[in-house]
Amino acid sequence: MKPFRFSLTFYILSAVSLLLVLTWLLLSLISFKTAENDLLAQKGEDTRLLLGAIVSVLPRPLAPPDPGSGVGRYLEQLRQDGSFDGLLVVDETWRRLYAYPANSAVDDSLLSVLNSGRSLFQISPDHATCRLYSAILEQGKVIGAARLTLSLRPAQERLSSSRRLFIAYFALDFLLLLVLGSYLLSRTVVSPFKKLLQATRRITAGDLGVSVNVAGSAEVAELSESFNSMLVALREKRVEVEEKVAALTWANKELVEARSEAVRSEKMASVGLLAAGMAHEIGTPLAAIMGY
């Protein structure tokens, strides 16, 4: 039973598909990571600008903002923003001047900013929120600190949407490449090889009058020319063999005729010997009789 084997097109397309998938995985990993880093960096810059604007409008000296004042209305508008997730403002004595949500607590990072006066930007482990800690300065002296928390869900949704769009484009390109690659392989590789295979089967059946002319790459064209050269050599050898066979047939015929002639000559010689013997056997008594 002939073993099952995949076609050449299948092997080539499988190798190309594997390379495409590996390339896509590498590019997607690099592009998505780069896009995420750029988006987080942009989000961090936006957070710094927003917190800087909030700190700049806070009353001096620091005091809880009046809900009816411009600062209070500004903070209320910020709370309506979907990405706004929390704000905590404390003075140098850790007293909370403004807290949203109301149960927001002072953490170690905020205390560190109060002590050092240096800003601090953090992203949660699940990349759901980002926090910016900033010191509030008055004539170079730290008089308080603020912590702004923004949600990264909109950014993550944009990234997810970009990933889905990228995957859809890749799937479409992948299918187009497979269809186009299958067509090109069939035209330039598979079809010439099938023609050569058919010619080989005709040669096996004894037909040496075939000729293969296939279009394709340089290697395929060279293989076709070599195949035709082999056919010419086989035809020449066939003619030479037929001539040798004809000569051997003629020599064998002459050999058979010579053998037949030798057999006849041997038979005639045997008849002559028999006749001589009979003449001697008859002649001896007759000579005795005649002498008597």
Side-chain angles (χ1 to χ4, degrees):
M1 182 178 178
K2 187 177 180 180
F4 174 77
R5 292 186 177 90
F6 292 103
S7 64
L8 179 62
T9 303
F10 176 81
Y11 281 115
I12 296 177
L13 290 180
S14 298
V16 173
S17 301
L18 180 60
L19 291 175
L20 284 175
V21 170
L22 292 177
T23 303
W24 175 78
L25 289 176
L26 181 60
L27 289 178
S28 62
L29 179 63
I30 295 174
S31 60
F32 290 156
K33 196 64 178 177
T34 302
E36 184 178 10
N37 292 335
D38 292 343
L39 191 58
L40 292 177
Q42 182 63 40
K43 197 68 175 179
E45 187 63 27
D46 294 342
T47 307
R48 288 185 178 89
L49 293 175
L50 180 58
L51 186 56
I54 294 173
V55 170
S56 65
V57 298
L58 289 175
R60 300 293 192 279
L62 290 179
D66 185 5
S69 64
V71 177
R73 290 193 299 270
Y74 177 66
L75 294 177
E76 185 63 27
Q77 289 179 353
L78 285 178
R79 291 173 59 178
Q80 305 304 320
D81 190 350
S83 62
F84 185 79
D85 212 31
L87 175 65
L88 177 62
V89 180
V90 298
D91 59 10
E92 57 185 348
T93 63
W94 306 355
R95 182 169 63 98
R96 297 193 306 169
L97 304 178
Y98 181 84
Y100 176 78
N103 58 352
S104 298
V106 177
D107 57 5
D108 295 336
S109 298
L110 192 61
L111 297 178
S112 175
V113 171
L114 275 173
N115 295 327
S116 64
R118 296 179 180 177
S119 299
L120 182 63
F121 182 73
Q122 293 179 348
I123 297 176
S124 62
D126 58 354
H127 285 195
T129 59
C130 65
R131 284 183 172 182
L132 178 63
Y133 300 84
S134 178
I136 303 175
L137 303 176
E138 182 71 22
Q139 296 179 353
K141 181 182 177 182
V142 178
I143 61 173
R147 180 186 69 201
L148 176 63
T149 305
L150 295 181
S151 174
L152 294 177
R153 286 189 297 271
Q156 296 295 341
E157 290 175 359
R158 287 197 296 272
L159 283 175
S160 298
S161 178
S162 299
R163 289 191 185 97
R164 290 192 294 269
L165 185 62
F166 186 82
I167 292 174
Y169 279 129
F170 171 77
L172 181 60
D173 292 341
F174 185 76
L175 291 176
L176 289 176
L177 286 174
L178 282 182
V179 172
L180 183 60
S182 178
Y183 174 75
L184 292 177
L185 283 174
S186 178
R187 294 259 317 180
T188 60
V189 178
V190 178
S191 180
F193 275 109
K194 285 184 177 180
K195 290 182 179 179
L196 290 173
L197 182 60
Q198 292 174 358
T200 304
R201 290 173 178 171
R202 291 179 61 182
I203 292 173
T204 304
D207 184 9
L208 297 181
V210 296
S211 179
V212 180
N213 295 315
V214 293
S217 61
E219 292 78 4
V220 174
E222 186 176 354
L223 179 61
S224 174
E225 293 175 358
S226 299
F227 190 85
N228 292 330
S229 300
M230 181 191 69
L231 287 176
V232 173
L234 285 176
R235 285 195 289 266
E236 293 177 352
K237 293 296 182 182
R238 185 173 185 176
V239 171
E240 184 178 351
V241 169
E242 289 177 351
E243 292 177 352
K244 295 293 184 181
V245 170
L248 289 175
T249 302
W250 177 257
N252 188 41
K253 182 180 179 180
E254 289 184 346
L255 182 62
V256 171
E257 292 179 355
R259 183 178 179 182
S260 300
E261 186 66 27
V263 170
R264 284 198 300 271
S265 299
E266 186 176 353
K267 288 181 178 180
M268 293 299 294
S270 298
V271 172
L273 291 175
L274 179 60
M278 291 180 63
H280 175 70
E281 294 295 333
I282 295 174
T284 299
L286 287 178
I289 293 171
M290 291 176 63
Y292 180 78

